[in-house]
Structure formats: C-alpha cells, structure tokens
C-alpha cells in the first residue's frame, strides 16, 4: 500500500491542477431567452484574411480569379468549437463605403482588417458567429473584373460558401492552403443594395450551406433595375457601374465593360440574354426554384433606386415556392432597417433571433410570428399575416371624358388624347383640372372613407397612335393636404449627432452609430404608384412589336407596388402621359396618343379598416415645401 501512495498523490495533484484549468476553458455557445449570449471576447477575436479560388476567369488573364475574404471570429473557434458564418459581400468597401456613415475597411500592417464596417462583427462575434466581409470580384482586394450581376458576381460569392463547406480551395497570404476548420459550414448572406443583390444571386444557385439570406433594398432582376417594360432608365449603366466599383487601372477591365455595352440592348430596351444572365427569379445562372435558404426581405415602397418591383416579384416567387420567409416594408427611400426611426433595437433583436434560428438552430418562435411588418405612416408600423395584405380587394377605377374617375365605365366612343413628350412628374401632376397637351388626368370625388392600397396596381389602357411607338406613363396620385414621409430629401431620414451602440467595441472598431429621424413634409399631393411601358413591348419584353398607326391595341402592365393610405376626404387621381423624364433618359416619340376611355382602367388592391394613428402636425423640424410643385429626387438617385 505504501508503494501506491506516491502514484495516488500524483494523480490527485494532477486532478487538482487540471480542474481549475478546465473550469477556465473556452466558453461554449450559450443560449438564454431564445437568444445566443455574448460570451466571447470581441477584442480577442481572430482577425485574418484568405483568398478563395473561384471557378471564373473574368479578367481573362488565364488564371481563376481569387476572392478576398476578411474574417473575424471568436478566438476559441476551431476544430473543437465550430461556428456559423454571416457574410456581407460587397463591391463598395473602398469607394462609397457601407452604411449611413459610409464606413470603409481599415487594415493593419499585416493586411488584416482592424475595422469591419457596420455593426455585424461587433454584435455577432461575441455571440458565437464568424463575420466575413467579402470583396466582390473585381473590387477592393479581390482579383478579376466586375460584371454587374453576371457570372463573375454570382460565382465569386458562391465559391466562398463552397470553401466554408470544403468544396473549394483557399490560400493564406503566404500562399499556403487555408482550411475553414473553424466553421459549421452554415452561412447567411446579408447586405443592402448591391450586397443584398449578391445574396439573392448566390441563393438562386441553390448552393448547399447557405441557410438564410437577408436582402435589403436588393435587386432580384437587373432588367427591372434598369428597365420597365422596355423603357430604359439609364443608358450603358452596367458598364458605368462596373467602372465605378472597379479598383483596377482603367484599361484592365475595359474589354469587359465594352462587351456589356454591346450586349445590353439599350437600343431597343428588350429583355435579352444579357438580362437573363442577371435575372435571379428565372435566369440563366440560377432561379428561385433552386433556393434552399430562408429569406428575410427588407425593402421600401418609395425606393426609386432599386425600385420596389424587385422585391415584390421576388417575394411572390418565394411565396409560390413556399420558401420560409419574413418581410419588412418601409416608406422611406433607399434606407437600411438599422436606420428606420424608432426601430433600431427591434431590428437588431429581430435579426439576432432570425440568425439564431437558421444558423444555430435555436427554436425561438420567430417563424411563428406575423410574417410582415409594414409602415403605414411616418414611423408608424403594423404587423400582418403576410404582404401584400391578404384581405385586399381589387377595385377597377375608370376614367371618363369629364375628367372624373369612378367605378362605372365611360360612355362608349369617349376618348382622351395627348402627345408623347418628355415631361417631369412635377409637370404631369400640376393643375390636373386644366388641359395639358402632354397628359390626361382624372380624379375621384372626396373619399367617404380611408382606403389603403396594399400591393401592385394594374394599368389597363386601350390606345391608338399616329406613329408606331410611344412610351406610356401611369401615375396614381393622392390629392389632399397631409403630412407624409418626405422620402425625396435625404432618402427620407435625417442623421442626428447622438449615437447608440449595439455590440462590443475596440479602439479601432466601435459599435456605435448615429441615430436618425424620419423626414416628413406637409404637401397637397403625393404620387403614390408609378408605371411605365414602351407600347412596342405590350405583348413581350423580349420582342418589341410596333402598334400599327391608327389601330387600337390593349396595353396592360403592372405599376410599381405600394402600401399607402388614401385618407377620408382626399381624392384619388389617375394621370396618363408619355415619357417620364424624371426616371428615364429616353426622349418622347412625338406620337399622338388616343385613349379609349370606355375600355381603360386602373385596378387597385384596397384594404378597409387599417388603423391609422394621426401624424403630429407640429413637424417644423422636418417640414418640407408645402407648395404644389413636388421636388425632384435628389441628384444621384440611380446610384446604389
């Protein structure tokens, strides 16, 4: 027995030493109240970067392009503690920056990022996530050339998901292989505008490992971003944007840009193979039928940059496929939900719960809650079962020769005429009770009750031309003094000096951002819904067909979607005109347009009984002009 005592003592000593060490071991993922908890140190997080090999050679240099991936993850993450990944892939990290404050990446001497834009890293890394800021191919520190929604854009991001799941190669800065042995492979993609567009695009490939996406003000079809039924918003825009985001010398990617200009079909405005490659609902590289990820959509109905038909058509396609989904619909312009007044805390918590559900598997009930949050007035929100409001009823409003708009058809053979000239929207809606050669206008009487539009109106016109072609514009207008979101000014928000913080900070990367308030203005009218079409594309987006002069033809198309309440005592107006110079670079054709009023209408999905808290009338801090003329959107509305 005495010979065993030294051995027993040694074992006891080993246990005594080991127990405190084990007690101080790295923290594990901790969940409380349905949310992962901040148990990992942000200051001590691993900051590194790798280069993922894609499957494309977009700059035609004979080598596959490599995607620069900047990584921040918990120090404890590794083979024994694998964490999921949140990805923001962007072309904007070294030009316009990200977020309302235009943050850019900041690097240390070793080339690692010390400041990651936005709050995602500050908030989610302590809660057991890795955050990846990915430079889109052709931008910042990635190789290749940007091709604006095409093959390189899509497959570069897909390669990152593949690398996280062991299906693609990556290299450290010294050229040695990089293995993602610290991740579960479960990933999310998030981002506003182009960043969210990349999330839509990669999800449409059906790549395994992408569990959820959060596209904010994102494109689902680049045709819809630069076209409306044959009407061209901006000429040679894709090549312009490619040059804007490119970090290479001017000449390196010039052949790629020249190819875009040759293929974009600006001369006709038709949908062709160029746009099919850049269509994520039903395109050449992927489509909605392949989407494996859940989708949390955020968009605003007054976003005249990434116009809201990009979210409404994507949302409907997802619904038709029964994809797990959630949506927030706001009323500002091109604004991130982090900057929706009064909802920043709710946004961060909702996003947290969404990521916890799909990446950590936390059963927190978020998928059992109302699917849609909808802004119905300045900073006034409701929740509902879905969007658009599932209980909306469609009403057809019909124009008459006396300028009225009602439920009954006009008298047979009654017509109205105008000439297709380029007009601003301000001119189109001015003095609607007076004749104007460039437009016709119709209004209802004062509404006996409030009517909420929720969804997408349909313009249905029977017209004849004296020339083979004309553009048509349909505007649905609310006439009545009211205080509304002033989305034209500052995208609809004013940035304050006061900050609040979400997540942990370091001296190099703080988690604090300036608060915002919603801009409002009291005006006598508001253009609610807009729709444009080239008459030649009335039957097909891919094949324009002239309307024989002197012959009537039916032109039916969807306007942009909206969610808006026409209040009791206001009047609803319909304005029909030619070329809308506010949103297109095209010039009018000069065609004389005759509208058969008896066979023309606009169909609107209306909801009754939506609660509408009064907007305070003391809005002097944010008051806009009260004159009839509407200000045009601020310069640069086409940037994103």
């Amino acid at each position: 027995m005495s010979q065993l005592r030294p051995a027993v003592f040694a074992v006891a000593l080993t246990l005594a030493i080991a127990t405190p060490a084990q007690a101080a071991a790295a923290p594990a993922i901790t969940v409380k109240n349905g949310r992962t908890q901040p148990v990992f140190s942000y200051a001590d997080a691993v900051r590194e970067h790798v280069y993922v090999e894609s499957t494309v050679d977009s700059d035609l240099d004979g080598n596959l392009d490599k995607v620069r991936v900047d990584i921040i993850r918990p120090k404890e993450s590794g083979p024994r503690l694998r964490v999921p990944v949140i990805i923001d892939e962007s072309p904007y990290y070294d030009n316009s920056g990200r977020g309302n404050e235009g943050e850019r990446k900041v690097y240390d001497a070793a080339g690692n990022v010390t400041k990651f834009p936005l709050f995602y890293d500050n908030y989610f890394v302590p809660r057991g996530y890795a955050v990846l800021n990915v430079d889109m191919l052709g931008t910042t520190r990635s190789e290749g050339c940007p091709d604006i929604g095409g093959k390189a854009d899509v497959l570069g991001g897909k390669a990152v998901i593949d690398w996280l799941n062991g299906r693609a190669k990556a290299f450290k800065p010294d050229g040695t292989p990089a293995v993602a042995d610290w991740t579960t492979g479960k990933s999310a993609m998030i981002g506003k505008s182009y960043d969210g567009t990349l999330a839509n695009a990669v999800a449409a490939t059906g790549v395994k490992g992408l569990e959820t996406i959060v596209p904010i003000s994102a494109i689902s079809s680049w045709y819809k971003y630069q076209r409306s039924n044959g009407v061209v918003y901006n000429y040679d825009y894709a090549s312009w944007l490619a040059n804007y985001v490119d970090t290479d010398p001017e000449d390196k990617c010039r052949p790629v840009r020249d190819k875009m200009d040759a293929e974009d079909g600006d001369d006709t405005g038709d949908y062709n193979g160029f746009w099919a490659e850049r269509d994520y609902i039903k395109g050449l590289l992927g489509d909605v039928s392949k989407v494996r990820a859940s989708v949390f959509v955020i968009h605003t109905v007054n976003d005249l940059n990434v116009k809201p038909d990009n979210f409404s058509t994507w949302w409907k396609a997802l619904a038709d496929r029964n994809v797990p989904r959630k949506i927030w619909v706001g009323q500002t312009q091109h604004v991130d939900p982090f900057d929706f007044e009064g909802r920043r805390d709710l946004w961060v918590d909702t996003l947290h719960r969404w990521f916890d559900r799909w990446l950590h598997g936390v059963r927190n009930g978020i998928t059992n809650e109302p699917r849609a949050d909808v802004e119905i007035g300045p900073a006034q929100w409701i929740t509902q079962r879905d969007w658009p409001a599932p209980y909306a009823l469609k009403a057809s409003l019909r124009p008459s020769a006396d300028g009225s708009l009602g439920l009954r058809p006009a008298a047979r053979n009654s017509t109205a005429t105008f000439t297709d000239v380029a007009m601003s929207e301000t001119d189109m809606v001015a003095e609607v009770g007076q004749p104007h050669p460039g437009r016709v206008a119709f209004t209802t009487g004062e509404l006996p009750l409030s009517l909420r539009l929720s969804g997408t109106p349909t313009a249905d016109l029977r017209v004849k031309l004296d020339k083979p072609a004309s553009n048509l514009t349909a505007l649905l207008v609310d006439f009545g003094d009211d205080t509304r979101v002033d989305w034209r000014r500052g995208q609809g928000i004013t940035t304050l000096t006061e900050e609040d913080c979400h997540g942990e900070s370091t001296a190099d990367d703080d988690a604090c951002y300036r608060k915002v308030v919603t801009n409002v203005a009291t005006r006598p009218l508001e253009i609610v819904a807009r729709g444009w079409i080239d008459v030649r594309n009335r039957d097909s987006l891919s094949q324009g067909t002239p309307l024989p002069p002197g012959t009537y033809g039916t032109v039916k198309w969807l306007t942009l979607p909206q969610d808006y309440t026409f209040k009791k005592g206001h009047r609803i107006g319909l304005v029909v005109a030619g070329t809308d110079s506010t949103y297109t670079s095209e010039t009018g054709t000069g065609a004389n347009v005759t509208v058969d009023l008896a066979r023309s209408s606009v169909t609107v999905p209306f909801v009754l009984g939506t609660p509408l808290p009064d907007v305070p009338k003391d809005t002097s801090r944010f008051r806009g002009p009260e004159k009839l003329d509407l200000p045009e959107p601020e310069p640069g509305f086409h940037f994103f």
Side-chain angles (χ1 to χ4, degrees):
M1 293 291 292
S2 61
Q3 293 177 347
L4 294 177
R5 287 174 183 169
V8 172
F9 177 79
V11 171
L13 181 61
T14 299
L15 291 174
I17 294 173
T19 301
Q22 292 169 354
I29 305 298
T30 302
V31 178
K32 184 178 180 180
N33 296 326
R35 297 161 177 82
T36 51
Q37 298 299 301
V39 297
F40 300 94
S41 168
Y42 178 73
D44 294 338
V46 175
R47 293 164 172 83
E48 59 187 347
H49 65 279
V50 302
Y51 298 90
V52 174
E53 185 176 82
S54 74
T55 57
V56 294
D57 175 17
S58 61
D59 54 11
L60 305 176
D61 66 355
N63 300 305
L64 294 177
D65 300 332
K66 293 185 178 64
V67 185
R68 163 79 177 227
V69 180
D70 290 297
I71 302 167
I72 180 169
R73 57 184 175 88
K75 179 182 65 176
E76 296 82 1
S77 60
R80 298 180 64 183
L81 179 64
R82 296 175 183 261
V83 297
V85 173
I86 299 168
I87 299 170
D88 186 349
E89 182 184 8
S90 178
Y92 292 134
Y93 283 127
D94 71 345
N95 39 68
S96 61
R98 302 316 296 134
N100 187 38
E101 298 176 34
E103 289 189 318
R104 300 183 182 188
K105 292 180 179 179
V106 178
Y107 305 86
D108 63 16
N112 292 317
V113 171
T114 57
K115 179 179 178 61
F116 286 78
L118 307 178
F119 76 97
Y120 303 138
D121 56 313
N122 308 86
Y123 188 85
F124 285 105
V125 170
R127 289 166 169 79
Y129 291 85
V131 173
L132 276 55
N133 281 184
V134 177
D135 297 340
M136 190 185 83
L137 282 180
T139 70
T140 312
R141 301 193 177 192
S142 283
E143 298 175 349
C145 292
D147 65 352
I148 311 305
K151 186 176 180 180
D153 282 14
V154 178
L155 298 184
K158 178 179 180 294
V160 176
I161 307 293
D162 284 334
W163 172 64
L164 293 170
N165 288 274
R167 300 187 298 265
K169 298 177 183 178
F171 303 92
K172 298 177 182 178
D174 63 5
T176 59
V179 179
D181 58 359
W182 42 265
T183 179
T184 61
K186 291 186 175 182
S187 303
M189 294 186 72
I190 185 172
K192 176 191 167 191
S193 204
Y194 210 139
D195 305 17
T197 301
L198 294 169
N200 283 342
V202 175
T205 69
V207 62
K208 294 181 179 179
L210 183 58
E211 302 297 324
T212 192
I213 61 171
V214 185
I216 301 166
S217 302
I219 295 168
S220 60
S221 162
W222 284 83
Y223 181 87
K224 290 184 181 297
Y225 180 61
Q226 281 302 301
R227 300 281 192 277
S228 176
N229 304 301
V231 175
V232 178
Y233 297 143
N234 303 284
Y235 291 106
D236 293 334
Y237 182 84
S239 63
W240 175 89
L241 183 58
N243 197 36
Y244 174 75
V245 301
D246 197 352
T247 54
D248 297 307
E250 183 79 13
D251 289 338
K252 177 185 175 183
C253 294
R254 188 183 300 277
V256 176
R257 297 194 300 273
D258 290 345
K259 187 171 184 287
M260 291 181 188
D261 288 343
E263 295 179 351
D264 62 14
D266 279 354
D267 56 328
T268 66
D270 292 346
Y271 182 97
N272 59 19
F274 178 87
W275 301 106
E277 182 178 329
R278 293 159 174 83
D279 185 340
Y280 312 131
I281 297 177
K282 191 175 182 181
L284 297 178
L285 296 177
D287 60 67
V288 71
S289 70
K290 298 178 182 177
V291 173
R292 299 172 181 266
S294 62
V295 184
F296 187 176
V297 172
I298 301 90
H299 217 110
T300 59
V301 289
N302 292 313
D303 189 342
L304 273 299
N305 175 348
V306 180
K307 296 178 179 62
D309 53 346
N310 273 280
F311 93 81
S312 61
T313 51
W314 179 241
W315 180 254
K316 184 180 185 304
L318 295 169
D320 290 344
R321 299 280 303 171
N322 202 29
V323 173
R325 63 201 184 280
K326 187 172 180 64
I327 192 169
W328 280 19
V329 179
Q331 284 197 4
T332 51
Q333 209 195 139
H334 200 55
V335 173
D336 191 287
F338 191 74
D339 297 313
F340 290 167
E341 180 185 350
R343 289 177 70 86
R344 183 170 290 181
D345 289 346
L346 178 61
W347 165 245
V348 173
D349 184 64
T350 303
L351 185 64
H352 181 186
R353 295 172 61 225
W354 185 261
F355 282 156
D356 278 357
R357 167 65 182 86
W358 295 105
L359 298 181
H360 276 299
V362 178
R363 299 289 178 174
N364 51 27
I366 193 167
T367 55
N368 298 324
E369 297 170 358
R371 183 173 285 144
D373 283 36
V374 183
E375 189 176 16
I376 58 172
Q380 300 165 353
W381 291 75
I382 61 172
T383 59
Q384 59 189 37
R385 179 162 50 89
D386 209 333
W387 191 91
Y391 34 85
L393 300 175
K394 294 183 178 180
S396 291
L397 303 179
R398 302 175 183 276
S400 293
D402 61 359
S404 65
L405 186 67
L407 298 177
R408 295 182 178 178
R412 188 176 180 182
N413 297 324
S414 59
T415 62
T417 61
F418 64 90
T419 303
D420 176 19
V421 295
M423 290 181 64
S424 71
E425 288 190 345
T426 298
D427 290 337
M428 289 180 183
V429 300
E431 300 178 333
V432 294
Q434 302 297 320
H436 192 292
R439 65 102 212 273
V440 290
F442 312 88
T443 60
T444 67
E446 293 184 356
L447 297 177
L449 74 169
S450 294
L451 293 171
R452 175 181 163 212
L453 185 169
S454 182
T456 305
T458 302
D460 188 353
L461 306 179
R462 182 171 171 79
V463 301
K464 69 177 178 180
L465 315 176
D466 65 354
K467 294 184 178 182
S470 174
N471 292 330
L472 295 180
T473 296
L475 303 179
L476 200 63
V477 188
D478 177 23
F479 290 101
D481 284 302
D482 202 3
T483 301
R484 306 173 176 92
V485 175
D486 186 5
W487 53 267
R488 298 170 182 82
R489 180 166 57 92
Q491 305 286 330
I493 60 173
T494 292
T495 304
L496 308 178
T497 56
E498 182 184 359
E499 293 185 330
D500 58 12
C501 307
H502 294 81
E504 298 182 14
S505 299
T506 65
D508 296 314
D509 192 339
D510 70 76
C512 305
Y513 295 87
R514 295 166 67 184
K515 295 181 179 180
V516 302
V517 291
T518 302
N519 294 335
V520 298
T522 301
R523 296 196 182 100
L525 64 87
E526 178 78 1
I527 299 173
V528 176
R530 299 162 169 82
W532 308 279
I533 191 170
D534 182 336
V535 171
R536 291 173 296 185
N537 292 104
R538 65 196 180 280
D539 296 322
S540 169
L541 296 182
S542 302
Q543 185 67 48
T545 304
L547 181 62
T551 302
Y552 275 106
T554 298
V555 186
K556 185 176 182 179
W557 78 102
L558 300 177
T559 72
L560 298 181
Q562 253 289 357
D563 206 292
Y564 181 91
T565 298
F566 298 89
K567 292 185 179 179
K568 179 180 178 180
H570 287 204
R571 294 178 299 137
I572 299 174
L574 171 65
V575 175
V576 180
T579 301
D580 186 342
S581 64
T582 303
Y583 294 107
T584 176
S585 301
E586 293 190 13
T587 58
T589 65
N592 292 313
V593 182
T594 301
V595 182
D596 179 355
L597 298 179
R599 301 180 67 176
S600 296
S601 66
V602 58
T603 301
V604 185
F606 283 127
V607 182
L608 301 179
T610 300
L612 286 167
D614 289 334
V615 179
K617 292 299 180 183
D618 181 15
T619 58
S620 56
R621 286 185 306 160
F622 321 115
R623 187 179 297 276
E626 298 186 3
K627 60 184 180 180
L628 181 61
D629 288 345
L630 293 176
E632 301 297 347
E634 294 174 338
F637 73 90
H638 58 287
F639 286 70
F640 79 114

